[in-house]
Amino acid sequence: AQRVTQPEKLLSVFKGAPVELKCNYSYSGSPELFWYVQYSRQRLQLLLRHISRESIKGFTADLNKGETSFHLKKPFAQEEDSAMYYCALSLTGYSGGGADGLTFGKGTHLIIQP
Amino acid sequence: DAGVTQSPTHLIKTRGQQVTLRCSPKSGHDTVSWYQQALGQGPQFIFQYYEEEERQRGNFPDRFSGHQFPNYSSELNVNALLLGDSALYLCASSNPAAGEKLFFGSGTQLSVL
């Protein structure tokens, strides 16, 4: 069965410092990978997906099939980046995970200190 | 558009009871998925409904069942509640055929005593 691992429950960095949230997955096929974010008192929302290769709010993530990783990176952290971040995997196709059930990691709580 | 709406927001039940949670999808969305999020965990996929049928199911027992109505709204039913069913239940809607991404509701917090 597929699995998503986020090794850090909590990550605290200073404003302006680089950020890297780690995500590793286990699946023998070619999954779709996503990062979801939940800001304080807001709903879970899609941040970015690997197939679009886009940068959202300064965040990027590259799928490394050799290392089965999909780490989320941002060169200069901002205080508004403080949130809960979830890495997720979909087995079939795009649509932001709406075409089938997502497998989520346990999440990393990112705190940006001023 | 109110987005995905769920009711109730909070619910307290006792062991052995049955519960029904409700979800209205975002306008234009025809697919509804349900997730269970225990404290300190990521969401776990329960099942997905499309065209009033269960299209996909996660690793949850038969005590968890659902329904989708012609207006695309959905219900999640849990029978014979256990203490371990205490969690935040999230509904998410999408329209995969239209390339619409997944939108989540705010969830229903279920406490089983």
Side-chain angles (χ1 to χ4, degrees):
Chain A
Q2 66 276 14
R3 178 181 288 184
V4 175
T5 303
Q6 294 180 250
E8 304 132 332
K9 288 184 75 172
L10 174 67
L11 183 63
S12 180
V13 302
F14 286 102
K15 177 182 173 182
V19 172
E20 183 178 47
L21 301 172
K22 290 184 168 52
C23 171
N24 288 89
Y25 67 92
S26 62
Y27 179 60
S28 56
S30 296
E32 301 284 348
L33 273 297
F34 307 88
W35 276 99
Y36 280 79
V37 61
Q38 187 167 28
Y39 300 103
S40 179
R41 286 186 284 277
Q42 292 188 29
R43 305 173 184 206
L44 195 60
Q45 59 185 288
L46 179 66
L47 179 62
L48 55 79
R49 50 193 184 262
H50 91 269
I51 61 168
S52 59
R53 305 182 69 81
E54 57 199 343
S55 173
I56 304 293
K57 298 184 179 182
F59 284 98
T60 59
D62 290 319
L63 179 62
N64 185 324
K65 292 186 178 181
E67 296 182 358
T68 59
S69 69
F70 187 56
H71 302 328
L72 184 67
K73 300 177 183 179
K74 184 170 183 176
F76 307 104
Q78 299 172 295
E79 288 185 68
E80 54 264 33
D81 296 328
S82 294
M84 198 70 193
Y85 290 80
Y86 295 94
C87 182
L89 177 158
S90 168
L91 300 184
T92 64
Y94 159 55
S95 81
D100 72 337
L102 291 169
T103 300
F104 282 88
K106 292 186 178 183
T108 297
H109 188 189
L110 177 64
I111 297 174
I112 308 301
Q113 299 190 51
Chain B
D1 181 12
V4 180
T5 58
Q6 293 186 244
S7 64
T9 54
H10 296 84
L11 203 51
I12 299 175
K13 292 286 188 178
T14 56
R15 278 181 300 172
Q17 284 189 311
Q18 178 264 344
V19 69
T20 297
L21 311 181
R22 294 175 176 82
C23 172
S24 292
K26 187 178 187 294
S27 177
H29 286 186
D30 58 6
T31 302
V32 174
S33 303
W34 287 91
Y35 290 81
Q36 180 195 65
Q37 186 172 20
L39 194 62
Q41 305 292 315
Q44 271 196 288
F45 175 67
I46 303 174
F47 43 50
Q48 183 181 82
Y49 275 84
Y50 172 70
E51 291 189 338
E52 302 178 48
E53 289 191 2
E54 184 182 291
R55 181 161 71 174
Q56 192 182 22
R57 189 178 184 93
N59 190 24
F60 278 80
D62 292 345
R63 298 187 298 109
F64 289 77
S65 64
H67 190 77
Q68 186 179 35
F69 299 94
N71 67 352
Y72 307 120
S73 67
S74 176
E75 287 181 351
L76 164 65
N77 301 293
V78 187
N79 293 323
L81 284 167
L82 304 174
L83 295 179
D85 295 331
S86 295
L88 180 68
Y89 288 84
L90 296 170
C91 173
S93 73
S94 61
N95 186 333
E100 282 276 315
K101 65 182 182 182
L102 203 61
F103 278 83
F104 280 87
S106 299
T108 294
Q109 184 66 52
L110 173 64
S111 298
V112 182
L113 306 179

